[in-house]
Amino acid sequence: MPAVRGRLTSKVIRIFVTGGRFDKQYNELAGMLTFEDTHVPEMLRLGRSRVEVSITTLMMIDSLEMSGEDRGLVVERCRGADERRILVTHGTDTMIETARALAEALPTIGEKTIVLTGAMVPYAFGSSDGLFNLGSALSFVQVLPAGVYVAMNGRCFEWNRVRKNGATGIFDEIP
Amino acid sequence: MPAVRGRLTSKVIRIFVTGGRFDKQYNELAGMLTFEDTHVPEMLRLGRSRVEVSITTLMMIDSLEMSGEDRGLVVERCRGADERRILVTHGTDTMIETARALAEALPTIGEKTIVLTGAMVPYAFGSSDGLFNLGSALSFVQVLPAGVYVAMNGRCFEWNRVRKNGATGIFDEIP
Amino acid sequence: MPAVRGRLTSKVIRIFVTGGRFDKQYNELAGMLTFEDTHVPEMLRLGRSRVEVSITTLMMIDSLEMSGEDRGLVVERCRGADERRILVTHGTDTMIETARALAEALPTIGEKTIVLTGAMVPYAFGSSDGLFNLGSALSFVQVLPAGVYVAMNGRCFEWNRVRKNGATGIFDEIP
Amino acid sequence: MPAVRGRLTSKVIRIFVTGGRFDKQYNELAGMLTFEDTHVPEMLRLGRSRVEVSITTLMMIDSLEMSGEDRGLVVERCRGADERRILVTHGTDTMIETARALAEALPTIGEKTIVLTGAMVPYAFGSSDGLFNLGSALSFVQVLPAGVYVAMNGRCFEWNRVRKNGATGIFDEIP
């Protein structure tokens, strides 16, 4: 962890958007849930965030639809990023799989802090956890040492010490 | 900072509520802004937070109304708390003054991580930064070493290295 | 139309709920749109409505799923209702078909004012027209003479003088 | 009331905005409630309203601050309007006084349907009745015969048959 001096010395934080419920929205003509542009910039404005970020949308899909190739792209982009601290928004269903892929590639990715987060209810809906999770993950990524983490439900876990409880949707520590 | 093992080993986080815009709401009969019960439990539910917390409302006032006595109460309660990690919700106007009072009392308070946060727009209103700030502060408090901090705008500052910009309402590092 | 004396002399307004987007919501465990209880009572509370109403959920389905039998149930219940003024919440896709069924049965239904309304975006989502439409339809039903109407987009139409524009989702008068 | 033919034959509806809680909002730098631009256009968009309207802001004040001169302006503008159907958004505290001024001037105003409405909670806040009231009043104004009315709580009253209950904020018929 960087020494805490004044403001936590975090240069630009990279944000890679991959979709998931976090960014799903309702298309009123089709009458279905779809993806359009990411809401992350709008959410950061709402939070009056002044963290310097660079946002890139890699894809906008359900994590259940993610292929090995898609995960490979996330790994590749994390490797190629200049930033040392990276936040990845991701569907909750296979978030841990992508975390694993990143952890396995960490030797080639380098000394980077990568935090994955998502939402149980799309930000576009009234009762979303999205804004809370974004504030949470953006904070963890600024202070944690290099490694791959999952941040959900206000908590943060090393990638290999967490699983998603299928019945409740909650992310818990593997005992 | 505690070693990162699995889930960040944070036992119960103490939350002291003091009011500020964070918790202001609109009283429709009076036609004015007032304080009622804190919204923090509701916000944690919305965020699907699973962090163990113990919430205590110390007072519900504008931080401009805070007296030395009020700040003394905050210090006293932080000193008496069993928890080592404490989040204080506070009005933004004099948040740094209370942070100073806490820092000065730190030798008697003990090895505790105390993070203060607030909101520019009340949570009860449509465009609030409250939920984002709560997620942010709750995360910083779980990982930072002992000390007194101010968490606003997605960033975290040591108490004596930050000031509130009166014109913009943003919290910036003192150069 | 009843003579306007003081308050429009409308006794209890019957509200029959049939579902449609009006009441759809997001099920976070399934990750899909589903129906649970109707939101109409909650919406009337939000609107501080003091109109006396009696709310009955007849079914909770997409209007595309409505069978002749389902529409028959709506007709039958409108016939059997004691109230002379009835509001029916309904999916927009086949709202006019149900309106037609009601109009055709009107001789046996009696001198009743029946207004159908719905929403393009579910009330449970942030950008819903539901609350506006409910206020609108609840007002039209209190003052219009006996007949069957469709109330959408702030306007009210006789059932046989309106069609839904498939491209825009707007309800327009048949020229 | 105009004969109901197809769509209610309502040409352009004039909307005069005078302020009141309907349009109040939170100024985050000042930390107080203030008036900025009216939210009516935004609310009509949210409701997917297709009613043709012409919106004019006459003033943006608390109705408790309204002077005889202010009310005179409302009367004058209603008199000068080409439209026969007029909606006036107004603070609830003295809405009935303005309604009285309009009714007294009705002989010189002409055969016009004027409906006043407001909100108990500002539209800008989470729990507002504003959108419901707007949908309601916009509907009443399209169908009622010439006269001056107050539309609140989903109901509509002739101006001299209603009073505001100070304790509950509800508008009730004068028995």
Side-chain angles (χ1 to χ4, degrees):
Chain A
M1 180 184 114
V4 174
R5 269 192 300 279
R7 177 164 71 84
L8 273 24
T9 50
S10 49
K11 302 175 184 56
V12 176
I13 306 288
R14 196 58 178 277
I15 300 182
F16 285 128
V17 170
T18 70
R21 290 182 202 183
F22 201 86
D23 263 325
K24 255 187 175 159
Q25 56 187 80
Y26 191 73
N27 180 305
E28 64 188 89
L29 284 177
M32 322 169 5
L33 298 175
T34 61
F35 288 109
E36 316 267 334
D37 297 330
T38 177
H39 296 97
V40 170
E42 173 190 330
M43 296 166 78
L44 292 174
R45 268 195 305 271
L46 189 68
R48 276 83 178 159
S49 175
R50 283 305 189 277
V51 179
E52 285 187 72
V53 298
S54 172
I55 306 168
T56 307
T57 298
L58 299 184
M59 63 196 79
M60 283 291 246
I61 60 181
D62 267 322
S63 65
L64 284 173
E65 313 279 316
M66 268 186 149
S67 63
E69 205 168 72
D70 294 320
R71 276 181 244 281
L73 176 65
V74 177
V75 169
E76 190 186 315
R77 295 303 298 265
C78 284
R79 180 183 296 124
D82 289 334
E83 296 84 3
R84 281 196 48 235
R85 297 177 180 280
I86 302 172
L87 193 161
V88 180
T89 67
H90 197 289
T92 57
D93 289 305
T94 66
M95 184 183 295
I96 297 174
E97 286 184 46
T98 299
R100 174 180 301 113
L102 286 164
E104 285 169 358
L106 212 53
T108 63
I109 286 178
E111 280 286 293
K112 290 180 181 168
T113 301
I114 305 174
V115 177
L116 291 86
T117 196
M120 284 303 286
V121 177
Y123 173 69
F125 300 177
S127 59
S128 175
D129 49 336
L131 191 61
F132 178 85
N133 292 348
L134 182 64
S136 173
L138 192 63
S139 302
F140 281 127
V141 79
Q142 291 180 66
V143 293
L144 290 174
V148 180
Y149 307 87
V150 163
M152 286 293 294
N153 310 110
R155 305 184 293 196
C156 200
F157 306 85
E158 282 180 32
W159 73 273
N160 61 341
R161 298 296 303 272
V162 63
R163 61 156 179 209
K164 177 180 173 181
N165 183 317
T168 62
I170 301 299
F171 281 70
D172 272 318
E173 189 178 2
I174 294 175
Chain B
M1 180 182 116
V4 173
R5 269 192 301 279
R7 176 164 73 84
L8 275 25
T9 47
S10 49
K11 301 174 185 60
V12 177
I13 306 289
R14 197 57 178 277
I15 301 181
F16 285 128
V17 171
T18 70
R21 290 182 202 183
F22 201 86
D23 264 325
K24 256 188 175 158
Q25 56 187 80
Y26 190 73
N27 180 305
E28 62 188 89
L29 286 177
M32 321 168 8
L33 299 176
T34 60
F35 288 109
E36 314 267 335
D37 296 329
T38 177
H39 296 97
V40 169
E42 172 190 331
M43 296 166 77
L44 292 174
R45 269 195 304 272
L46 190 67
R48 275 82 177 160
S49 176
R50 282 307 190 275
V51 178
E52 285 186 74
V53 299
S54 171
I55 306 168
T56 307
T57 298
L58 299 185
M59 63 195 79
M60 283 292 246
I61 61 181
D62 268 322
S63 65
L64 285 173
E65 313 279 317
M66 269 186 147
S67 64
E69 205 168 71
D70 294 320
R71 277 182 244 279
L73 176 65
V74 177
V75 169
E76 192 187 314
R77 294 303 298 265
C78 284
R79 181 182 296 123
D82 289 332
E83 297 83 2
R84 281 195 49 233
R85 297 177 181 280
I86 302 172
L87 193 161
V88 181
T89 68
H90 197 289
T92 58
D93 290 306
T94 66
M95 185 183 295
I96 297 174
E97 286 185 46
T98 299
R100 174 180 301 114
L102 286 164
E104 285 168 357
L106 211 52
T108 63
I109 286 180
E111 280 285 293
K112 291 180 181 169
T113 301
I114 305 175
V115 177
L116 291 86
T117 196
M120 284 304 284
V121 178
Y123 172 69
F125 300 177
S127 58
S128 175
D129 50 334
L131 191 61
F132 178 86
N133 293 348
L134 182 63
S136 173
L138 193 63
S139 301
F140 281 127
V141 79
Q142 289 180 68
V143 292
L144 291 174
V148 180
Y149 308 88
V150 163
M152 285 292 295
N153 308 110
R155 305 183 293 196
C156 199
F157 306 84
E158 282 180 32
W159 73 274
N160 60 341
R161 299 295 304 273
V162 62
R163 61 160 178 205
K164 177 181 175 182
N165 183 317
T168 62
I170 301 299
F171 281 70
D172 274 318
E173 188 178 2
I174 295 175
Chain C
M1 180 185 117
V4 173
R5 270 192 298 279
R7 176 164 73 84
L8 273 24
T9 48
S10 48
K11 301 173 186 60
V12 176
I13 307 289
R14 197 57 179 276
I15 299 181
F16 284 129
V17 170
T18 71
R21 290 182 201 183
F22 200 86
D23 263 324
K24 255 188 175 158
Q25 55 187 80
Y26 190 74
N27 180 305
E28 62 188 89
L29 284 177
M32 318 170 7
L33 298 176
T34 60
F35 288 109
E36 315 266 335
D37 296 329
T38 178
H39 296 98
V40 170
E42 172 189 331
M43 295 166 78
L44 293 173
R45 268 195 305 271
L46 190 67
R48 276 83 176 159
S49 175
R50 283 307 189 277
V51 178
E52 285 187 72
V53 299
S54 171
I55 306 168
T56 307
T57 298
L58 298 185
M59 63 195 78
M60 284 292 245
I61 61 181
D62 267 323
S63 65
L64 284 172
E65 313 279 317
M66 269 187 147
S67 64
E69 206 168 71
D70 293 320
R71 276 181 244 279
L73 176 64
V74 177
V75 170
E76 190 186 315
R77 295 302 297 265
C78 284
R79 180 183 296 124
D82 289 333
E83 296 83 2
R84 281 195 48 234
R85 298 178 180 280
I86 302 172
L87 193 161
V88 180
T89 66
H90 198 288
T92 57
D93 290 304
T94 66
M95 186 183 295
I96 297 174
E97 287 185 47
T98 299
R100 174 181 300 114
L102 286 164
E104 286 169 355
L106 211 54
T108 64
I109 286 179
E111 280 287 294
K112 291 180 182 168
T113 302
I114 305 174
V115 176
L116 290 86
T117 196
M120 283 304 286
V121 177
Y123 172 70
F125 300 177
S127 58
S128 175
D129 49 336
L131 191 61
F132 178 85
N133 293 348
L134 183 63
S136 173
L138 193 63
S139 301
F140 281 127
V141 79
Q142 291 179 68
V143 292
L144 291 174
V148 181
Y149 307 88
V150 164
M152 285 293 295
N153 309 110
R155 305 185 293 196
C156 199
F157 307 83
E158 282 180 30
W159 74 274
N160 61 341
R161 298 297 301 272
V162 62
R163 64 166 175 199
K164 178 181 174 181
N165 182 316
T168 62
I170 301 299
F171 281 71
D172 274 318
E173 190 178 0
I174 295 176
Chain D
M1 179 184 118
V4 172
R5 271 193 299 280
R7 177 165 71 87
L8 274 25
T9 48
S10 49
K11 302 174 185 59
V12 177
I13 306 289
R14 196 58 178 276
I15 300 181
F16 285 128
V17 171
T18 70
R21 290 183 200 183
F22 201 86
D23 264 324
K24 255 187 176 161
Q25 56 187 79
Y26 190 74
N27 180 304
E28 63 187 89
L29 285 177
M32 323 169 4
L33 298 175
T34 61
F35 289 109
E36 316 266 335
D37 296 329
T38 178
H39 296 97
V40 170
E42 173 190 330
M43 295 166 76
L44 292 174
R45 269 195 304 272
L46 190 67
R48 276 81 176 162
S49 176
R50 283 305 190 276
V51 178
E52 284 187 72
V53 298
S54 171
I55 306 168
T56 307
T57 298
L58 299 184
M59 63 196 77
M60 283 292 246
I61 59 180
D62 268 322
S63 65
L64 285 172
E65 312 280 317
M66 270 186 148
S67 64
E69 204 168 72
D70 293 320
R71 276 181 245 280
L73 176 65
V74 178
V75 169
E76 190 188 316
R77 294 303 297 265
C78 284
R79 181 182 295 123
D82 290 332
E83 297 84 3
R84 280 196 48 235
R85 296 177 181 281
I86 302 172
L87 193 161
V88 180
T89 67
H90 197 288
T92 57
D93 290 305
T94 66
M95 185 183 296
I96 298 175
E97 286 185 46
T98 299
R100 174 181 300 113
L102 287 164
E104 285 170 355
L106 212 54
T108 64
I109 286 179
E111 280 286 294
K112 290 179 181 168
T113 301
I114 305 174
V115 177
L116 291 87
T117 197
M120 285 303 285
V121 178
Y123 172 69
F125 300 176
S127 57
S128 175
D129 50 335
L131 191 61
F132 178 85
N133 292 349
L134 183 63
S136 173
L138 191 64
S139 301
F140 281 127
V141 79
Q142 290 180 68
V143 292
L144 291 174
V148 181
Y149 306 88
V150 163
M152 285 293 295
N153 309 109
R155 305 184 294 196
C156 200
F157 307 84
E158 281 179 32
W159 74 273
N160 60 342
R161 298 297 303 272
V162 62
R163 63 162 176 203
K164 178 180 173 182
N165 183 318
T168 62
I170 301 299
F171 281 71
D172 273 319
E173 189 178 1
I174 294 176

